[in-house]
């Protein structure tokens, strides 16, 4: 068993780690939490690789809880920093729309986000990471934090 695990680890460490090519599409999704309000978060996304270290895309954040529902739809730009073949810090910014609905009220308006995180490239087509996003949504009259604890992205 230990020999098999060593062979698998060797294979993974020798794989060609990297990113898709310019013009490729990346589909991804995250699962985590929002704070302020505290909700369970689902965050699907689709990105276009504009440069080897920059993507443009769309992100949806859906927060569900007892107190209501939060939904944002945002156009994003994500920038990967550094040249390490496996681990890359990322920065993200975006602009879109937010909808919040509670037991007795609902609101609609603009959504602005800024985030930073870390991606670990498992192979040339797949990465796993995390991202912490600071969100400003005037419909909520405040900032809220969203943290997809795990984000998986795959080159299509």
């Amino acid at each position: 068993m230990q020999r098999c695990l060593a062979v698998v680890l060797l294979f993974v460490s020798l794989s060609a780690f990297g990113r898709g090519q310019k013009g490729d599409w990346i589909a991804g999704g995250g699962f985590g939490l929002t704070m302020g309000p505290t909700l369970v978060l689902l965050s699907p996304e689709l990105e276009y690789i504009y440069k080897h270290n920059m993507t443009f895309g769309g992100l949806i954040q859906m927060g569900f809880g007892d107190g209501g529902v939060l939904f944002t739809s945002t156009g994003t730009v994500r920038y990967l920093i550094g040249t390490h073949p496996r681990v890359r810090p990322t920065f993200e910014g975006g602009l879109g729309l937010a909808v919040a609905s509670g037991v007795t009220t609902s609101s609609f308006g603009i959504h602005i986000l800024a985030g930073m995180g870390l991606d670990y490239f498992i192979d040339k087509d797949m990465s796993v990471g995390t991202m912490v996003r600071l969100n400003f949504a005037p419909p909520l009259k405040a900032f809220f934090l969203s943290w997809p604890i795990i984000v998986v992205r795959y080159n299509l």
Side-chain angles (χ1 to χ4, degrees), residues 48-66:
Y48 174 78
I49 300 175
Y50 177 70
K51 294 182 181 178
H52 76 282
N53 61 346
M54 180 184 287
T55 65
F56 292 108
L59 167 69
I60 294 173
Q61 296 183 105
M62 299 172 286
F64 304 98
D66 290 340

Side-chain angles (χ1 to χ4, degrees), residues 64-82:
F64 304 98
D66 290 340
V69 175
L70 171 66
F71 179 85
T72 67
S73 178
T74 309
T76 61
V77 175
R78 194 163 61 98
Y79 188 76
L80 286 83
I81 307 247

